[in-house]
């Protein structure tokens, strides 16, 4: 399934799609899980979704747009709360045009077999607006 993540604009009169969440049912009784978030204005192109990667510095590439061209790129072990493994600020496009970005995330705090969510988010400068975002899972190599 797919579900749009919406932001109700400042005036509350319209909803803005910030990303589309991809949901899949995993296992017969395990329920539904968000496996990725897609948005043409915030996307990760390297590494590929579900790529096996080392628990080491990882080059991340994609496209994005954000307030004053600022993007946040983060990595978190899926299913955990608290601080991410790493968070970096990257530069993409501003205004309406997404532009390429490159950054490096340190995944050395992850264990073999961990599923790590890599997310890119471009803020809008409005505190309550999450901005455009995209996310993919990767798997830490054993």
């Amino acid at each position: 399934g797919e579900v749009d993540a919406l932001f109700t604009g400042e005036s509350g009169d319209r909803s803005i799609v910030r990303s589309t969440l991809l949901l899949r049912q995993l296992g017969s009784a395990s329920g539904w899980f968000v496996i990725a978030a897609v948005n043409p204005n915030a996307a990760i192109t390297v590494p590929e979704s579900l790529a096996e990667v080392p628990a080491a510095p990882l080059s991340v590439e994609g496209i994005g747009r954000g307030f004053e061209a600022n993007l946040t790129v983060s990595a978190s072990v899926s299913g955990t709360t608290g601080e991410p493994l790493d968070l970096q600020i990257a530069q993409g496009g501003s205004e309406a045009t997404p532009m390429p970005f490159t950054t490096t995330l340190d995944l050395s705090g992850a264990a073999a077999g961990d599923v790590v969510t890599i997310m890119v988010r471009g803020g809008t400068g409005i505190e309550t607006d999450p901005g455009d975002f995209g996310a993919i899972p990767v798997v830490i190599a054993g």
Side-chain angles (χ1 to χ4, degrees):
E2 296 181 359
V3 176
D4 288 336
L6 302 172
F7 168 70
T8 301
E10 290 181 299
S11 61
D13 62 348
R14 65 185 178 112
S15 293
I16 301 165
V17 176
R18 288 302 181 200
S19 195
T20 299
L21 307 178
L22 305 181
L23 297 108
R24 300 296 182 265
Q25 191 169 22
L26 304 175
S28 60
S30 297
W32 290 86
F33 294 84
V34 175
I35 61 164
V38 295
N39 182 312
N41 298 310
I44 296 161
T45 56
V46 175
E48 292 182 5
S49 183
L50 293 174
E52 194 168 293
V53 300
L58 177 70
S59 179
V60 177
E61 299 175 20
I63 61 164
R65 66 179 185 182
F67 180 67
E68 295 182 347
N70 289 317
L71 304 171
T72 57
V73 184
S74 62
S76 299
V77 175
S78 297
T80 64
T81 58
E83 296 297 316
L85 291 169
D86 196 11
L87 184 142
Q88 297 294 318
I89 305 299
Q91 293 291 297
S94 63
E95 304 294 331
T97 306
M99 298 292 290
F101 73 86
T102 301
T103 192
T104 300
L105 293 174
D106 183 4
L107 305 185
S108 62
D114 280 349
V115 175
V116 173
T117 300
I118 300 175
M119 176 181 267
V120 58
R121 186 174 74 87
T124 63
I126 301 170
E127 186 175 319
T128 58
D129 186 349
D132 298 324
F133 65 94
I136 63 164
V138 296
V139 179
I140 302 299

